[in-house]
Amino acid sequence: IDPASTPEELAFEGALRPTTLTDFVGQPKVRGQLEVLLQAARMQERAPDHILLAGPPGLGKTTLAMIIGHETGRPIRFSSGPAIQHAGDLAAVLSALVPGEVLFVDEIHRMARSAEEMLYLAMEDFRIDIMVGKGAGAASIPLELAPFTLVGATTRSGMLPAPLRDRFGFTAHLEFYETADLERVLARSSRLMDLDLEAAALAELASRSRGTPRIANRLLRRVRDWLLVHAGSSDIDGVRAALELYDVDEAGLDRIDRAVLHAIAHRFGGGPVGLSTLAAAVGEEADTIESVVEPFLVREGLIGRTPRGRIATASGMRHARALAPDDTLD
Ligand code: ADP
């Protein structure tokens, strides 16, 4: 299950997003760190420091950015790395900011290099230099910016150049959620969706949601559909049947997770295998494997990373043996 959102899902996600830190479930460490940071800024009536949110997709980075805006009473503007392909794109965004605004840049590691350099100066001194003209007649015109708080989100903090990483006052590392926390996310979402599921059904769903709130909420919708179509079924049967229908196994692994595990275990004899070879074998982008699939399989103790490549652990080999041969995605 792809943790990225579809357009239809965005509207739904908007409705389920908590708007305060208190309603933000789990991530106790990050929540504690942000509480102090935001409160100090409020007490001194200044914009909070620039904040980097790092972690796999669907763990709440956008949600936290919106909470930061909400908790500090500041407007928030959205942009993303892929939308900033030239320094000029960034200049346009920065010069339109109003004082104190929160600028959220999703996938900040995908911003163009030329824009990154402009961002260094903007983050540090709230000014940029705009180049006009070309060749001998080129000149740089300084432009003062309104003070702002940059909130960057990245699934690949290792890909950010050090000078950019260093200019964030604080980096929050989001972790996969504990099952108990996902149960709370699901309980809240089902309330908002007017669904009344048994606790055991919510617990089962939580334990099979890849430690990811976005996936938990998405599976909850599939369970709701299943129960609607199969009126009279018990909630727990609904969860089991819907997850089977949508290819989520008992350990919460989806098709790509299983394909990767299967390839390491069977095609590459348990590893080690390099990332690009693995990506080619399962027909997925290396980036998706590295930022989405691998972190979860590592956290579940199914695969490991070594200097020579990825390996399947003993428990990964056991899980792979139980996989059907069609779990290869080819
Ligand atoms: P990211 O930006 O990291 O990809 P989002 O912030 O878009 O993730 O979160 C995806 C979905 O998961 C949203 O619908 C949000 O409501 C839900 N969600 C994420 N984190 C939490 C949380 N801690 N508590 C409740 N819901 C959450």
Side-chain angles (χ1 to χ4, degrees):
I1 293 180
D2 180 3
S5 317
T6 59
E8 173 224 352
E9 202 164 51
L10 284 177
F12 171 79
E13 284 190 349
L16 296 185
R17 262 182 224 290
T19 52
T20 60
L21 265 186
T22 323
D23 283 347
F24 189 83
V25 173
Q27 309 288 346
K29 184 149 182 202
V30 166
R31 238 186 23 232
Q33 293 165 329
L34 277 177
E35 247 157 36
V36 175
L37 194 135
L38 297 182
Q39 195 177 339
R42 257 196 315 265
M43 288 168 74
Q44 295 184 321
E45 294 177 19
R46 59 170 169 81
D49 271 0
H50 305 303
I51 298 169
L52 182 64
L53 306 170
L59 296 193
K61 298 184 292 298
T62 309
T63 306
L64 277 179
M66 294 172 79
I67 288 176
I68 291 167
H70 189 256
E71 296 258 339
T72 54
R74 291 161 192 274
I76 176 161
R77 188 179 294 253
F78 294 87
S79 186
S80 77
I84 302 175
Q85 283 314 306
H86 305 279
D89 298 334
L90 182 65
V93 173
L94 291 174
S95 57
L97 291 173
V98 300
E101 201 162 10
V102 173
L103 172 62
F104 177 60
V105 181
D106 203 4
E107 296 189 76
I108 194 166
H109 59 279
R110 293 178 61 192
M111 197 167 59
R113 272 288 135 92
S114 55
E116 266 168 14
E117 274 157 34
M118 174 179 277
L119 193 56
Y120 300 161
L121 197 59
M123 289 170 81
E124 221 154 67
D125 296 339
F126 300 121
R127 73 182 170 86
I128 53 178
D129 290 323
I130 296 186
M131 291 299 291
V132 285
K134 282 204 169 103
S140 107
I141 302 179
L143 180 72
E144 293 289 320
L145 302 174
F148 66 98
T149 297
L150 177 67
V151 179
T154 182
T155 50
R156 308 283 306 277
S157 61
M159 267 179 67
L160 282 189
L164 181 54
R165 241 181 310 161
D166 294 346
R167 280 170 171 82
F168 286 98
F170 165 62
T171 297
H173 292 278
L174 298 186
E175 309 284 346
F176 286 108
Y177 288 66
E178 302 297 330
T179 300
D181 289 334
L182 284 185
E183 275 177 56
R184 287 167 58 207
V185 170
L186 284 169
R188 177 174 178 276
S189 303
S190 13
R191 233 182 3 259
L192 294 170
M193 286 163 69
D194 263 336
L195 263 177
D196 185 21
L197 291 187
E198 286 163 22
L202 289 181
E204 171 99 15
L205 194 51
S207 72
R208 295 169 67 178
S209 296
R210 267 185 126 259
T212 306
R214 175 177 292 136
I215 294 181
N217 283 338
R218 181 184 298 167
L219 291 175
L220 181 64
R221 281 193 301 167
R222 299 291 73 84
V223 170
R224 174 204 57 192
D225 294 351
W226 198 95
L227 288 171
L228 194 69
V229 172
H230 298 86
S233 307
S234 77
D235 291 353
I236 190 86
D237 285 346
V239 167
R240 293 192 178 137
L243 295 198
E244 192 180 335
L245 185 62
Y246 291 98
D247 256 344
V248 177
D249 76 10
E250 267 89 61
L253 269 55
D254 66 24
R255 247 161 59 82
I256 304 181
D257 296 328
R258 290 198 299 273
V260 167
L261 186 58
H262 189 280
I264 300 177
H266 297 307
R267 272 215 224 175
F268 302 105
V273 52
L275 180 65
S276 48
T277 313
L278 188 58
V282 296
E284 272 295 327
E285 299 276 332
D287 191 46
T288 307
I289 299 205
E290 200 170 18
S291 60
V292 181
V293 180
E294 215 171 68
F296 180 68
L297 294 182
V298 169
R299 133 139 161 180
E300 294 298 291
L302 297 170
I303 68 169
R305 299 174 63 154
T306 72
R308 289 170 48 228
R310 282 71 185 163
I311 54 160
T313 60
S315 135
M317 289 303 278
R318 261 197 311 282
H319 198 84
R321 270 195 284 282
L323 293 179
D326 67 347
D327 278 320
T328 54
L329 282 195
D330 57 13

